[in-house]
Amino acid sequence: MRRVSLFMTTVALLAAAALGQAQEVSIDGPDTFEPGGRPVKLDVVGVTVDELVAGSGQLIHYPRDGSEVWDAASWSGQPYVLFFADQPGSYLVAVAFCRDGQLIYAEHEIRSEGPDPDPDPDPDPDPDPDPDPPGKRQVMFFHESDRLDNYGTEQQQMLVGLAFRQALEAKGHRFMGSFDRDAVAEQGVVRCEDGQCRVSRGVPPDLEPWWQHVRGDPLPRVAIAPLEGGTIRDYPLPATIAELYELIGGAQ
């Protein structure tokens, strides 16, 4: 499945190409979901799994941040999609494939129950009135590898630079790793038993407490905890190394 950004520039063309067959394929299901709740089942009607595979079918969802989709099929071979999101808002779920030399496109909009969040909230409120005292830190980074070229030069050094890691540890801090989101994002497996299909998800145990704080937040991001253990806090990755040291209390 490709990233949605690769498709959004061609959605109009897809819709136009499928206009004559728009009624043949549809995505049916609830129009609302509960953020952080159970996955929502959306049926893909008018096409079989074999047709999707033969037609290079692709599953699209937008916005990608804060939401996940998984393709699945019933015992009878009927394709469907499981959608879940932690963040409230409006999301688009779509499928595109080729049939008899024509491009078929179907979409479904699903929104969270209740009002959408403030469109411009404070991205990082600090609810903790008693921050950790100055000291050495554990530091873990999260980013998106395919957007690395879009990050600032010093941000790239923090995320993938060996010299930065050595300098960080020379100051007494502990570099815990720099991880691409797709490498630690929850893995989903559809398991079917007694006619019921469920998705089981999990994160590597050593990353789970860190990922709980970062999941759903915009990347790149840095997560920080006291060297001896304690509260994990996460922040947008600063633009410069000096600002990072100031953030983690390493600047003397």
Side-chain angles (χ1 to χ4, degrees), residues 27 32 34 46 54 63 76 82 87 89 104 118 123 156 169 192 215 230:
I27 300 177
T32 60
E34 180 182 352
S76 61
L82 293 174
Q87 304 299 320
I104 308 298
D118 185 344
Q156 294 180 29
E169 296 196 344
C192 297
R215 187 175 187 271

Side-chain angles (χ1 to χ4, degrees), residues 5 20 24 26 34 58 79 108 125 149 162 172 188 215 221:
S5 59
E24 293 187 12
S26 62
E34 180 182 352
Q58 299 183 42
H108 181 83
D149 290 342
L162 177 60
R215 187 175 187 271
R221 211 151 184 92

Side-chain angles (χ1 to χ4, degrees), residues 124-137:
D124 238 307
D126 186 4
D128 188 353
D130 184 23
D132 294 324
K136 305 306 179 184
R137 301 282 188 258

